[in-house]
Amino acid sequence: MWLRRTALGAMVVPLAVLVFRDAPVRLVAPEPVMARPVAPSEALRPAIVSRADWHADETLVKEHATYTGAVNAVFVHHTNHANDYDCADAPTMLREMERDHVSGEGWDDIGYNFVVDRCGTIYEGRAGGVGRSVRGAHAKGFNAHSVGVAALGSFGPGVPVPKALIEGIAKVGAWKLRPGTDPRSTVRMVSTNDESLYQRGEVVHLHAVSGHRDTFQTSCPGDALYDQLPAVRAEMVRLRAPHS
């Protein structure tokens, strides 16, 4: 959630409190990848707008990426921005978020691994390579072996959640989640920080696709989006099915 506000042209954009946020002029071009067979429990890599395409300021990045291995859990967030933005403005919003996370929060880079806008466009968040398991700053105590996917917007009670947004989150989650893991299942995780809802070293069983509120004292990702997590899981299952 975001406490500070910053001007985005004539638009006021809420900035984040903990670890939330964020079609270029639709210059979307996914990074080239080598084709490979896809196992039944995996999904194809979706189109992702790279940091270069949304013009991330790489001079702000303080440290090289840390890699943590297979992704056991997907944590869904919202950025708490106003929902009436034009999707063409998403890259500008991401640059504002990058500056706030680094200069305001004191993090090494954007906290989230990926951000999805209301049009369903997926953006690379934290640097280090979208195809690798980059440790984020999105779920204190559970940043390792997880991926943080943030929905650009605010999703309190009664707020409509665009279908394209749900599908975008599911595409990232289906691709990143460890092969063989049912998105509807629970997974074993170990807290690494007493500031989470669990003591350091405590073993917990979380949904493979969880909301940030499941591990931290926060309302993120908002009741409306949190209530859509079953739909996200179901879409991930569909995307990882053999015929998909």
Side-chain angles (χ1 to χ4, degrees), residues 134-174:
V134 179
R135 183 187 181 109
H138 58 90
K140 187 172 290 186
F142 298 90
N143 286 316
H145 300 287
S146 70
V147 63
V149 184
L152 195 60
S154 301
F155 300 95
V159 174
V161 182
K163 182 182 179 187
L165 177 61
I166 293 172
E167 292 174 344
I169 294 171
K171 287 176 183 176
V172 177

Side-chain angles (χ1 to χ4, degrees), residues 29-244:
E31 299 173 11
V33 296
M34 296 298 292
R36 65 174 180 79
V38 178
S41 59
E42 295 181 87
L44 292 170
R45 168 182 165 160
I48 298 169
V49 180
S50 71
R51 288 171 65 94
D53 283 339
W54 62 261
H55 303 297
D57 185 350
E58 302 299 355
T59 66
L60 291 176
V61 179
K62 296 179 180 179
E63 299 289 344
H64 294 301
T66 299
Y67 300 101
T68 64
V71 171
N72 296 324
V74 177
F75 287 106
V76 177
H77 304 258
H78 73 181
T79 67
N80 213 29
H81 285 85
N83 293 318
D84 58 353
Y85 61 88
D86 188 310
C87 289
D89 291 327
T92 304
M93 297 164 75
L94 283 166
R95 291 192 293 273
E96 289 290 331
M97 182 170 65
E98 179 189 23
R99 285 191 290 272
D100 184 71
H101 281 197
V102 176
S103 301
E105 303 295 341
W107 300 333
D108 296 335
D109 193 0
I110 283 181
Y112 311 115
N113 299 107
F114 299 93
V115 179
V116 182
D117 71 18
R118 65 189 184 89
C119 295
T121 303
I122 303 167
Y123 296 85
E124 176 185 9
R126 177 160 287 228
V130 296
R132 304 184 68 180
S133 297
V134 179
R135 183 187 181 109
H138 58 90
K140 187 172 290 186
F142 298 90
N143 286 316
H145 300 287
S146 70
V147 63
V149 184
L152 195 60
S154 301
F155 300 95
V159 174
V161 182
K163 182 182 179 187
L165 177 61
I166 293 172
E167 292 174 344
I169 294 171
K171 287 176 183 176
V172 177
W175 173 54
K176 296 297 288 187
L177 189 63
R178 178 198 290 269
T181 301
D182 187 333
R184 299 162 299 187
S185 69
T186 58
V187 294
R188 181 184 183 275
M189 303 284 282
V190 180
S191 174
T192 61
N193 194 307
D194 291 336
E195 294 180 32
S196 75
L197 292 179
Y198 304 96
Q199 295 297 308
R200 180 177 182 178
E202 185 174 352
V203 176
V204 297
H205 288 84
L206 303 169
H207 289 289
V209 181
S210 292
H212 184 208
R213 63 172 68 182
D214 293 325
T215 62
F216 198 79
Q217 188 62 48
T218 175
S219 61
C220 179
D223 290 351
L225 182 52
Y226 190 79
D227 290 345
Q228 291 297 318
L229 293 186
V232 172
R233 297 177 190 122
E235 178 64 7
M236 287 173 61
V237 170
R238 187 191 71 79
L239 290 169
R240 288 160 70 100
H243 65 273
S244 296

